[in-house]
Amino acid sequence: MTVAKTSVLVLDCAEPESLAHFYAELLGADIRPGDGFDMVEVVGGPGVHLAICRDHGYAPPSWPRPEDSQQAHLRILVAPEDLDEAEREAVSLGARPVSADAEEGPRDARLFSDPAGHTFTLAATGVKR
């Protein structure tokens, strides 16, 4: 018999409350206290559950620079016709575009960093990358 399990992606950062607000706004989710003093959770509809944890010695990843690994990233799926609007929304909330390649023109997957430096991708549903 398999034990029922669930998972949550935990992002470390220096200021968990502000990063939780970023992701709550971006994902249309709610913020709630997490397990422990330095943990905040972002919970929304199906598939939306993040935890943000304070790391007092946090240093953001430098990906795509080769000296550090990417560590982890989120892939946020949106309808293809909503990709441009989702990008505008993310940037207005404090996301920064990250150029990992020299691809020109319209793209169906776009890479960003959140205010704490974690990378995430906005991708049109059905995109395999």
Side-chain angles (χ1 to χ4, degrees), residues 43-107:
V43 180
V48 177
H49 190 176
L50 302 174
I52 316 292
C53 183
R54 184 180 320 277
D55 177 348
H56 295 282
Y58 178 72
S62 65
W63 188 87
R65 294 191 313 257
E67 59 269 15
D68 287 321
S69 68
Q70 179 175 315
Q71 297 178 11
H73 80 280
L74 298 173
R75 188 166 186 85
I76 300 170
L77 302 175
V78 299
E81 64 272 13
D82 294 334
L83 190 56
D84 290 336
E85 181 61 27
E87 179 175 8
R88 285 189 290 274
E89 180 181 19
V91 169
S92 76
L93 292 169
R96 295 176 302 277
V98 175
S99 178
D101 58 35
E103 185 177 332
E104 297 291 329
R107 297 183 321 271

Side-chain angles (χ1 to χ4, degrees), residues 17-62:
E17 293 82 10
S18 63
L19 191 59
H21 282 283
F22 170 82
Y23 279 110
E25 287 289 324
L26 184 64
L27 298 170
D30 296 317
I31 298 170
R32 68 182 188 199
D35 296 335
F37 178 72
D38 285 336
M39 184 86 66
V40 181
E41 292 186 0
V42 177
V43 180
V48 177
H49 190 176
L50 302 174
I52 316 292
C53 183
R54 184 180 320 277
D55 177 348
H56 295 282
Y58 178 72
S62 65

Side-chain angles (χ1 to χ4, degrees), residues 83-85 87 98 106-112 120-123:
L83 190 56
D84 290 336
E85 181 61 27
E87 179 175 8
V98 175
R107 297 183 321 271
D108 51 11
R110 301 168 190 179
L111 184 65
F112 299 88
F120 69 93
T121 302
L122 290 174

